[in-house]
Amino acid sequence: MGADTSSSVKPIEAPPLKPLRVPPRLAATPSQPPKYAVTLRNRAGESVAVADPRATRALVALMNIHAVQGGAACHWGGPAAFAEINAAIHALMFGVKNRPWYEAFNYVNDAGHAENGIYALRALYGFDGMTFETLKGFRSVSSKFTGHGESHLNPEGVLLSNGPLSSAIPQAQGLAIADKLAGRDRVTIVVASDGAAMEGEAKEAFAAIPGLAAKGKVNPFVLVISDNDTKLSGRITQDAFSMQPSLEAMDDLGWTVIKVANGHDLAAVFAAVEDGVARAKADPARPVCLWVKTIKGYGIKATMENAAGGHGFPLANAEKIVDWVKEIYTGDTPPAEFLDWAITLRTEWEAKEAAKKARAAAAATPAASGVKKDKVQSGLARAVVRAAQEGLPVFSVSSDVPGSTGISLFQKSFPDRWLDVGIAEANMVSVGAGLSKAGFIPVVDTFGQFGVTKGNLPLTMAALSQAPVIAMFSHIGLQDAADGASHQATTYLAAVSAIPHTVVIMPSCADEAEALMYEAIRRLAAERAAGRDGESYVFFVGRENYPVRWVEGATYPWGKAQVLRQGGDIALIGCGVLLNKAIEAGAKLAERGIQAAVVNNPFINRVDVETLGAAVRACQGRVVTIEDHQVTCGMGAQVAHALATAGIPHRMKSLGIPGEFGQSAYLAEHLYEKFGLTADKLVEAALALLG
């Protein structure tokens, strides 16, 4: 790679640079003030109606309960922290005269976990026809009000999709550059969290925005950072490291920094936002950063004191919702419609509880013990604990979500054998590679979407540096239903299967996960002890509970598929979170007199041609695969390629996600039904091949 030394190319004349005409899709400026508002005065001394943050918080609590009752988890802490910030910004944006608000401002929410607070705030304005009733659909498969903001489903309200922290900040930079190129008079405002500031993309943008602005290439830009020292797993400073030096450095990077000591003083926040926009307009060469101190979970004492700020909604039901609404309005009476709504939710919960107790009391005999279930990642964590007990040098490196990925079992068992690098997945994998190079066996963990997107290059470099790592990537595919498309890894197999010296494994139950993780650790230790490089092992698992085993007495030989049901009519191949659909479909076909071979295929990019080929030959080449992944470049595609390469004739139907993004839903099962990833659809596909 060399420098560009060409000098003979002369500038070419061309028509003026003009962007393509992209019709605006954002909804119009609301025609009414917020239903519940606080009156403030702006810089000109005029009265301004600003949405009451208490109303936003109450609505968030109420709408969340609907989603929680439906089976989804929800976020409370983030939107509670941002309530004053977003109320002030929206009052300024929606107060624009003589043109639509979106011609004066680009509004970008990078704090995806706080999107429900924006829905609640905008419902107060009646924005885009929103009502309190529409909020009740939040996170359901029938609503466009998804867990994180998704412009493909809600272009009227979401300019840039969000979810993965810091992903929207550099995109917003592009918006401001585009406005400068097009000569538009528009200010870009981005709201973000201190957690997002830990990510690499954020740090790149923090340097690039003022650097390019100083060269006259960026329109006025205002970044509002909510600093509450809190992430999903707890306090940032305590769990990882202090972010204060990073935020202090914003001034040195070229930002005009405006500090707001109390982010819950609405008048102070409004004045700071107004001042920040004015300064950015007056000097576009120096973007503005509002550093706002907030409290995650503000408004409820229990969540304010909680280490994670009540990040996920801390109630599993509506038991305390009436008390919560009253506490949010401490000192005042809440609006009657909020109290009535809360009472209705509480009454519905009481009725369900009473019915549950009545059913239990009416049972004539004790209920038969059900199949033992557990999360698949529990098996992974147990294996890591076992390996450590045997003296193998395993070390855990996390990036904020060890409780969700399951590795917290290891961390609590061995408190001196792990560290949290903060919300920085790429850094996590690279730290693991360094540990590996020095003789440790690193286990890194995060959600599948962040592991394969932010960790892909580090995984490649780990393999290239002969520094293999073991990864636990959870919440894959549509399993992270409530959080929506931004959190749903549907290209994870395609993303990592082709990385050299990297083995991709999808265990389907806790016992299988434990056996394969333990063997992976032992194999890596043996390879390194023998002076060989070894391979990285990437485990992909879901989030829901499954039977701890599918077959009694099952063994899980390394590198092998398992035939769970013998058959000679058609082969059903599954893996991971959808193996149960193949098992169920096999039983349904048997009821029709059709004998299906059901095969578990956990080694995705090391296809066990011996076992799969034998099953396929026995079924005269008829195969149906199912996976929680895009059909393109997924498990089925890799099986088909392996069979074809081995010269095994086959006709295949692959069930997977058909080139579409997912969306929010209360349960993954709702999305499996939407995309046809069910046992009944497997049966239909099998019958079509047999016909």
Side-chain angles (χ1 to χ4, degrees), residues 25 55 168 177 197 241 245 260 292 311 351 353 367 379 389 466 471 569 593 616 621 645 652 660 667 677:
R25 301 181 69 183
I177 292 170
F241 52 85
V260 182
V292 185
H311 179 90
E353 287 297 297
Q389 289 176 305
Q466 303 84 50
D569 293 325
V616 170
T645 301
M652 179 182 288
E660 300 290 340
L667 302 171
L677 302 178

mmCIF file of all heavy atoms in Angstrom, residues 25 55 168 177 197 241 245 260 292 311 351 353 367 379 389 466 471 569 593 616 621 645 652 660 667 677:
data_model
loop_
_atom_site.group_PDB
_atom_site.id
_atom_site.type_symbol
_atom_site.label_atom_id
_atom_site.label_comp_id
_atom_site.label_asym_id
_atom_site.label_seq_id
_atom_site.Cartn_x
_atom_site.Cartn_y
_atom_site.Cartn_z
ATOM 1 N N ARG A 25 -40.404 11.993 5.509
ATOM 2 C CA ARG A 25 -41.385 11.042 6.016
ATOM 3 C C ARG A 25 -41.733 11.305 7.476
ATOM 4 O O ARG A 25 -42.632 10.683 8.025
ATOM 5 C CB ARG A 25 -40.855 9.613 5.850
ATOM 6 C CG ARG A 25 -40.550 9.261 4.398
ATOM 7 C CD ARG A 25 -40.056 7.833 4.247
ATOM 8 N NE ARG A 25 -41.097 6.871 4.511
ATOM 9 C CZ ARG A 25 -40.923 5.546 4.505
ATOM 10 N NH1 ARG A 25 -39.722 5.055 4.260
ATOM 11 N NH2 ARG A 25 -41.921 4.725 4.765
ATOM 12 N N ALA A 55 -45.303 13.594 33.666
ATOM 13 C CA ALA A 55 -46.269 12.916 32.802
ATOM 14 C C ALA A 55 -45.570 11.900 31.902
ATOM 15 O O ALA A 55 -46.068 10.792 31.679
ATOM 16 C CB ALA A 55 -47.026 13.944 31.961
ATOM 17 N N ALA A 168 -25.753 5.660 16.306
ATOM 18 C CA ALA A 168 -26.429 6.781 15.646
ATOM 19 C C ALA A 168 -25.611 8.062 15.661
ATOM 20 O O ALA A 168 -25.859 8.964 14.861
ATOM 21 C CB ALA A 168 -27.798 7.027 16.293
ATOM 22 N N ILE A 177 -23.051 16.858 7.907
ATOM 23 C CA ILE A 177 -22.183 17.102 6.749
ATOM 24 C C ILE A 177 -23.028 17.278 5.496
ATOM 25 O O ILE A 177 -22.776 18.165 4.661
ATOM 26 C CB ILE A 177 -21.180 15.941 6.583
ATOM 27 C CG1 ILE A 177 -20.184 15.939 7.753
ATOM 28 C CG2 ILE A 177 -20.439 16.045 5.254
ATOM 29 C CD1 ILE A 177 -19.302 14.701 7.804
ATOM 30 N N ALA A 197 -20.613 6.658 25.274
ATOM 31 C CA ALA A 197 -19.301 7.288 25.113
ATOM 32 C C ALA A 197 -18.152 6.311 25.327
ATOM 33 O O ALA A 197 -16.996 6.641 25.059
ATOM 34 C CB ALA A 197 -19.173 8.469 26.077
ATOM 35 N N PHE A 241 -14.546 1.558 34.715
ATOM 36 C CA PHE A 241 -13.603 2.634 34.993
ATOM 37 C C PHE A 241 -14.341 3.954 34.836
ATOM 38 O O PHE A 241 -15.396 4.025 34.218
ATOM 39 C CB PHE A 241 -12.407 2.578 34.041
ATOM 40 C CG PHE A 241 -12.792 2.514 32.584
ATOM 41 C CD1 PHE A 241 -13.063 3.667 31.867
ATOM 42 C CD2 PHE A 241 -12.905 1.294 31.942
ATOM 43 C CE1 PHE A 241 -13.450 3.611 30.537
ATOM 44 C CE2 PHE A 241 -13.286 1.221 30.599
ATOM 45 C CZ PHE A 241 -13.558 2.381 29.896
ATOM 46 N N PRO A 245 -12.755 11.466 32.966
ATOM 47 C CA PRO A 245 -11.668 12.018 32.145
ATOM 48 C C PRO A 245 -12.015 12.093 30.659
ATOM 49 O O PRO A 245 -11.610 13.037 29.967
ATOM 50 C CB PRO A 245 -10.509 11.047 32.402
ATOM 51 C CG PRO A 245 -10.796 10.454 33.737
ATOM 52 C CD PRO A 245 -12.290 10.321 33.781
ATOM 53 N N VAL A 260 -24.372 21.036 32.881
ATOM 54 C CA VAL A 260 -25.624 21.216 33.616
ATOM 55 C C VAL A 260 -25.536 20.321 34.844
ATOM 56 O O VAL A 260 -25.544 19.086 34.730
ATOM 57 C CB VAL A 260 -26.848 20.844 32.759
ATOM 58 C CG1 VAL A 260 -28.134 21.086 33.543
ATOM 59 C CG2 VAL A 260 -26.852 21.642 31.461
ATOM 60 N N VAL A 292 -24.747 16.789 30.844
ATOM 61 C CA VAL A 292 -25.858 16.915 31.780
ATOM 62 C C VAL A 292 -25.797 15.792 32.814
ATOM 63 O O VAL A 292 -25.852 14.610 32.472
ATOM 64 C CB VAL A 292 -27.211 16.866 31.035
ATOM 65 C CG1 VAL A 292 -28.359 17.131 32.005
ATOM 66 C CG2 VAL A 292 -27.226 17.872 29.891
ATOM 67 N N HIS A 311 -32.643 -0.212 35.012
ATOM 68 C CA HIS A 311 -32.467 -0.197 33.548
ATOM 69 C C HIS A 311 -33.586 -0.982 32.866
ATOM 70 O O HIS A 311 -34.358 -0.440 32.094
ATOM 71 C CB HIS A 311 -31.113 -0.799 33.174
ATOM 72 C CG HIS A 311 -30.860 -0.833 31.705
ATOM 73 N ND1 HIS A 311 -30.241 0.204 31.037
ATOM 74 C CD2 HIS A 311 -31.148 -1.761 30.766
ATOM 75 C CE1 HIS A 311 -30.163 -0.089 29.745
ATOM 76 N NE2 HIS A 311 -30.699 -1.276 29.567
ATOM 77 N N ALA A 351 -56.912 -9.954 39.346
ATOM 78 C CA ALA A 351 -57.825 -10.977 38.827
ATOM 79 C C ALA A 351 -57.048 -12.187 38.292
ATOM 80 O O ALA A 351 -57.438 -13.340 38.510
ATOM 81 C CB ALA A 351 -58.697 -10.383 37.723
ATOM 82 N N GLU A 353 -54.069 -13.145 39.250
ATOM 83 C CA GLU A 353 -53.480 -13.842 40.387
ATOM 84 C C GLU A 353 -54.527 -14.704 41.091
ATOM 85 O O GLU A 353 -54.248 -15.840 41.483
ATOM 86 C CB GLU A 353 -52.893 -12.833 41.378
ATOM 87 C CG GLU A 353 -51.616 -12.173 40.901
ATOM 88 C CD GLU A 353 -50.494 -13.169 40.713
ATOM 89 O OE1 GLU A 353 -50.079 -13.796 41.705
ATOM 90 O OE2 GLU A 353 -50.043 -13.342 39.559
ATOM 91 N N ALA A 367 -49.783 -31.367 40.542
ATOM 92 C CA ALA A 367 -49.390 -31.284 39.137
ATOM 93 C C ALA A 367 -48.157 -32.137 38.892
ATOM 94 O O ALA A 367 -47.248 -32.206 39.715
ATOM 95 C CB ALA A 367 -49.090 -29.829 38.764
ATOM 96 N N GLY A 379 -25.410 -23.692 30.836
ATOM 97 C CA GLY A 379 -24.485 -24.789 30.604
ATOM 98 C C GLY A 379 -23.103 -24.295 30.230
ATOM 99 O O GLY A 379 -22.085 -24.847 30.668
ATOM 100 N N GLN A 389 -11.962 -24.907 38.007
ATOM 101 C CA GLN A 389 -11.739 -25.776 39.158
ATOM 102 C C GLN A 389 -10.663 -26.821 38.874
ATOM 103 O O GLN A 389 -9.978 -27.279 39.795
ATOM 104 C CB GLN A 389 -13.045 -26.471 39.555
ATOM 105 C CG GLN A 389 -14.066 -25.537 40.195
ATOM 106 C CD GLN A 389 -15.375 -26.238 40.479
ATOM 107 O OE1 GLN A 389 -15.987 -26.822 39.581
ATOM 108 N NE2 GLN A 389 -15.807 -26.206 41.722
ATOM 109 N N GLN A 466 -2.804 -15.382 16.012
ATOM 110 C CA GLN A 466 -2.632 -16.646 16.728
ATOM 111 C C GLN A 466 -2.969 -16.465 18.209
ATOM 112 O O GLN A 466 -2.254 -16.924 19.101
ATOM 113 C CB GLN A 466 -1.206 -17.205 16.573
ATOM 114 C CG GLN A 466 -0.751 -17.422 15.145
ATOM 115 C CD GLN A 466 -0.203 -16.151 14.525
ATOM 116 O OE1 GLN A 466 0.637 -15.471 15.109
ATOM 117 N NE2 GLN A 466 -0.677 -15.813 13.331
ATOM 118 N N ALA A 471 -15.906 -17.282 22.703
ATOM 119 C CA ALA A 471 -16.963 -16.272 22.807
ATOM 120 C C ALA A 471 -18.292 -16.908 23.175
ATOM 121 O O ALA A 471 -18.656 -17.956 22.636
ATOM 122 C CB ALA A 471 -17.097 -15.511 21.489
ATOM 123 N N ASP A 569 -37.904 -41.203 5.468
ATOM 124 C CA ASP A 569 -38.717 -40.487 4.477
ATOM 125 C C ASP A 569 -38.181 -39.091 4.175
ATOM 126 O O ASP A 569 -38.134 -38.671 3.021
ATOM 127 C CB ASP A 569 -40.169 -40.392 4.965
ATOM 128 C CG ASP A 569 -40.844 -41.752 5.014
ATOM 129 O OD1 ASP A 569 -40.536 -42.584 4.140
ATOM 130 O OD2 ASP A 569 -41.648 -41.979 5.933
ATOM 131 N N GLY A 593 -47.914 -40.992 9.553
ATOM 132 C CA GLY A 593 -47.289 -42.181 8.992
ATOM 133 C C GLY A 593 -46.012 -41.900 8.231
ATOM 134 O O GLY A 593 -45.510 -42.766 7.504
ATOM 135 N N VAL A 616 -29.302 -38.040 5.048
ATOM 136 C CA VAL A 616 -29.867 -37.531 3.798
ATOM 137 C C VAL A 616 -29.984 -38.650 2.764
ATOM 138 O O VAL A 616 -30.991 -38.771 2.057
ATOM 139 C CB VAL A 616 -29.002 -36.366 3.269
ATOM 140 C CG1 VAL A 616 -29.425 -35.974 1.858
ATOM 141 C CG2 VAL A 616 -29.112 -35.167 4.210
ATOM 142 N N GLY A 621 -32.407 -38.095 -0.313
ATOM 143 C CA GLY A 621 -31.976 -36.734 -0.608
ATOM 144 C C GLY A 621 -32.957 -35.652 -0.221
ATOM 145 O O GLY A 621 -32.733 -34.476 -0.530
ATOM 146 N N THR A 645 -20.612 -30.593 -2.148
ATOM 147 C CA THR A 645 -19.170 -30.800 -2.303
ATOM 148 C C THR A 645 -18.809 -32.274 -2.132
ATOM 149 O O THR A 645 -17.900 -32.791 -2.798
ATOM 150 C CB THR A 645 -18.404 -29.943 -1.287
ATOM 151 O OG1 THR A 645 -18.727 -28.561 -1.503
ATOM 152 C CG2 THR A 645 -16.901 -30.120 -1.428
ATOM 153 N N MET A 652 -33.520 -29.587 -1.181
ATOM 154 C CA MET A 652 -33.629 -28.953 0.134
ATOM 155 C C MET A 652 -34.583 -27.775 0.137
ATOM 156 O O MET A 652 -34.634 -26.997 -0.812
ATOM 157 C CB MET A 652 -32.240 -28.470 0.598
ATOM 158 C CG MET A 652 -32.233 -27.760 1.951
ATOM 159 S SD MET A 652 -30.587 -27.154 2.417
ATOM 160 C CE MET A 652 -29.773 -28.703 2.809
ATOM 161 N N GLU A 660 -35.371 -10.093 5.550
ATOM 162 C CA GLU A 660 -36.078 -8.977 6.180
ATOM 163 C C GLU A 660 -35.509 -8.729 7.576
ATOM 164 O O GLU A 660 -34.935 -9.625 8.193
ATOM 165 C CB GLU A 660 -37.577 -9.285 6.312
ATOM 166 C CG GLU A 660 -38.287 -9.539 5.000
ATOM 167 C CD GLU A 660 -38.432 -8.285 4.148
ATOM 168 O OE1 GLU A 660 -38.331 -7.185 4.723
ATOM 169 O OE2 GLU A 660 -38.653 -8.417 2.945
ATOM 170 N N LEU A 667 -42.976 -11.785 22.573
ATOM 171 C CA LEU A 667 -42.295 -13.075 22.656
ATOM 172 C C LEU A 667 -41.678 -13.430 21.319
ATOM 173 O O LEU A 667 -42.203 -13.065 20.260
ATOM 174 C CB LEU A 667 -43.285 -14.179 23.056
ATOM 175 C CG LEU A 667 -44.043 -13.994 24.384
ATOM 176 C CD1 LEU A 667 -45.125 -15.056 24.506
ATOM 177 C CD2 LEU A 667 -43.082 -14.050 25.568
ATOM 178 N N LEU A 677 -41.486 -19.762 10.993
ATOM 179 C CA LEU A 677 -40.486 -20.648 11.597
ATOM 180 C C LEU A 677 -41.158 -21.482 12.685
ATOM 181 O O LEU A 677 -40.882 -21.353 13.872
ATOM 182 C CB LEU A 677 -39.332 -19.824 12.157
ATOM 183 C CG LEU A 677 -38.613 -18.925 11.142
ATOM 184 C CD1 LEU A 677 -37.516 -18.112 11.810
ATOM 185 C CD2 LEU A 677 -38.045 -19.749 10.001
#
